Amino acid sequence: MNYEDAITALADPTRRVIIDRLRSGALPVGAIAKGMTISRPAVSQHLRVLSDAGLLTVTPAGNRRLYAIAPDGVAGLREYLDGLWDDALAAFARAAEEKAKENKDE
């Protein structure tokens, strides 16, 4: 999956809540859904979207499945954001240099 799939998946606030719940480690769907205002099947659908976007791993454990954040999926998203940040900083540096040159010429 690519970063665009990850960003699209994370556009939904419920999916961001799910990711936050998985920050401390793998959980089964019941633990993820606990206290949420949506049904457990709805949580399962969100888990599928996150998995399809490459942001989650799913590991069978007996009669349940454990969901965890996929390091590779997050790495792809981070790589994109790091590149975006580098471009923004380079643009800021160019603007600052141009402004400094303008001030020097005055």
Side-chain angles (χ1 to χ4, degrees):
M1 293 296 134
N2 59 41
Y3 73 88
E4 293 167 328
D5 295 328
I7 289 173
T8 299
L10 291 173
D12 185 284
T14 299
R15 294 182 198 136
R16 291 194 302 272
V17 169
I18 290 170
I19 290 292
D20 283 343
R21 289 183 178 200
L22 293 171
R23 291 173 77 154
S24 59
L27 293 171
V29 66
I32 295 168
K34 188 176 181 179
M36 295 182 86
T37 58
I38 61 174
S39 67
R40 193 168 154 167
V43 171
S44 293
Q45 289 178 350
H46 285 292
L47 288 169
R48 172 171 281 205
V49 171
L50 290 167
S51 296
D52 289 348
L55 293 171
L56 297 182
T57 61
V58 185
T59 305
N63 62 350
R64 59 187 188 162
R65 298 159 53 107
L66 295 176
Y67 294 88
I69 294 174
D72 290 344
V74 174
L77 180 60
R78 183 176 178 171
E79 183 178 315
Y80 166 73
L81 293 173
D82 285 347
L84 187 65
W85 181 244
D86 290 345
D87 291 345
L89 284 177
F92 179 77
R94 283 192 303 274
E97 289 171 4
E98 288 173 12
K99 185 68 176 172
K101 185 177 178 183
E102 287 174 12
N103 289 342
K104 186 177 179 180
D105 293 340
E106 291 179 354

